[in-house]
Amino acid sequence: QQQVKQSPQSLIVQKGGISIINCAYENTAFDYFPWYQQFPGKGPALLIAIRPDVSEKKEGRFTISFNKSAKQFSLHIMDSQPGDSATYFCAARTISNSGYALNFGKGTSLLVTP
Amino acid sequence: DAGVTQSPTHLIKTRGQQVTLRCSPKSGHDTVSWYQQALGQGPQFIFQYYEEEERQRGNFPDRFSGHQFPNYSSELNVNALLLGDSALYLCASSLISRVETQYFGPGTRLLVL
């Protein structure tokens, strides 16, 4: 079953606007929450990530907000640009003594119009 | 410095056949993970290899198997292909000591007819 639920499925934002993508999870064993950006024909690329002991992390125009009690986290893209048009995936990591695995959401297709 | 490379880029097989996909990790990386990404979906974790051993496995049947070589490159094998195995297969590499930084390859697009 999907361990990380992502919404919306698609998003259209005007250039200069704010894009917001939300994710929710149930497994409290997750210890790391990255966001990936994927362009057509490419593999996902790490965009920004956060640990659950931090409520917000900002890198340039990208910000993650994390609400541990609600088990939710979100990606905000400020001043969205047409070049940001891509599919975005949230993910959550499980880690054990032997290894780790990323659990991905279903993705959000973002289109930034000029 | 080449990133993660995968071969072939595209592959067409028929039901019941077997397929082998290959991955070369980013230089210096020692850990390889494989993911299956169906059309319109997020990647699903298949398994992870470190020190030539399978360390972690997702919810995939035994038809999916893998191998890691001494040079850290890896293969993914799928036996008795089903139509539902059609997907983009992604390889990701990292250092076991820096698991946060995981780099993905461009993937192999497999179509099963």
Side-chain angles (χ1 to χ4, degrees):
Chain A
Q1 73 279 17
Q2 200 77 24
Q3 294 202 54
V4 180
K5 289 181 167 45
Q6 183 172 348
S7 63
Q9 186 175 354
S10 62
L11 185 60
I12 301 175
V13 173
Q14 281 196 326
K15 179 182 175 181
I18 302 174
S19 303
I20 302 174
I21 304 170
N22 301 299
C23 285
Y25 65 97
E26 287 298 326
N27 188 347
T28 56
F30 291 146
D31 74 329
Y32 175 71
F33 300 85
W35 284 88
Y36 283 82
Q37 180 188 56
Q38 186 176 28
F39 293 103
K42 303 286 188 182
L46 179 64
L47 194 60
I48 187 172
I50 198 167
R51 292 189 177 276
D53 54 350
V54 176
S55 61
E56 185 175 283
K57 183 174 182 180
K58 183 176 180 179
E59 289 183 2
R61 295 185 295 110
F62 301 92
T63 300
I64 301 178
S65 297
F66 191 88
N67 186 329
K68 188 174 181 178
S69 60
K71 295 184 219 169
Q72 295 175 348
F73 58 110
S74 60
L75 175 70
H76 291 64
I77 306 174
M78 312 300 288
D79 187 26
S80 298
Q81 300 296 312
D84 296 331
S85 297
T87 300
Y88 292 81
F89 295 96
C90 62
R93 186 181 72 182
T94 51
I95 194 166
S96 69
N97 289 335
S98 56
Y100 65 94
L102 287 177
N103 301 271
F104 284 83
K106 289 191 174 184
T108 296
S109 178
L110 171 65
L111 176 64
V112 181
T113 60
Chain B
D1 171 32
V4 179
T5 59
Q6 293 185 242
S7 63
T9 55
H10 296 81
L11 202 53
I12 300 176
K13 292 286 188 178
T14 56
R15 280 179 298 175
Q17 285 190 312
Q18 177 264 345
V19 69
T20 298
L21 310 181
R22 296 176 176 82
C23 171
S24 291
K26 183 176 170 60
S27 178
H29 283 184
D30 54 13
T31 303
V32 173
S33 302
W34 286 93
Y35 292 81
Q36 179 195 66
Q37 186 177 18
L39 201 61
Q41 302 293 314
Q44 295 286 313
F45 176 73
I46 303 175
F47 43 54
Q48 182 179 80
Y49 277 84
Y50 171 65
E51 290 187 328
E52 303 178 48
E53 289 186 9
E54 183 182 294
R55 297 291 180 152
Q56 193 94 326
R57 189 177 183 93
N59 190 26
F60 278 80
D62 292 345
R63 298 187 296 109
F64 289 77
S65 63
H67 189 77
Q68 185 180 35
F69 299 93
N71 67 353
Y72 308 117
S73 67
S74 177
E75 287 182 350
L76 164 65
N77 300 292
V78 186
N79 294 322
L81 284 167
L82 304 173
L83 297 180
D85 295 332
S86 296
L88 179 68
Y89 288 85
L90 295 162
C91 169
S93 75
S94 62
L95 270 172
I96 197 69
S97 59
R98 293 194 64 183
V99 297
E100 286 83 5
T101 311
Q102 190 173 48
Y103 292 84
F104 281 83
T108 293
R109 175 72 64 185
L110 172 65
L111 177 61
V112 182
L113 301 176

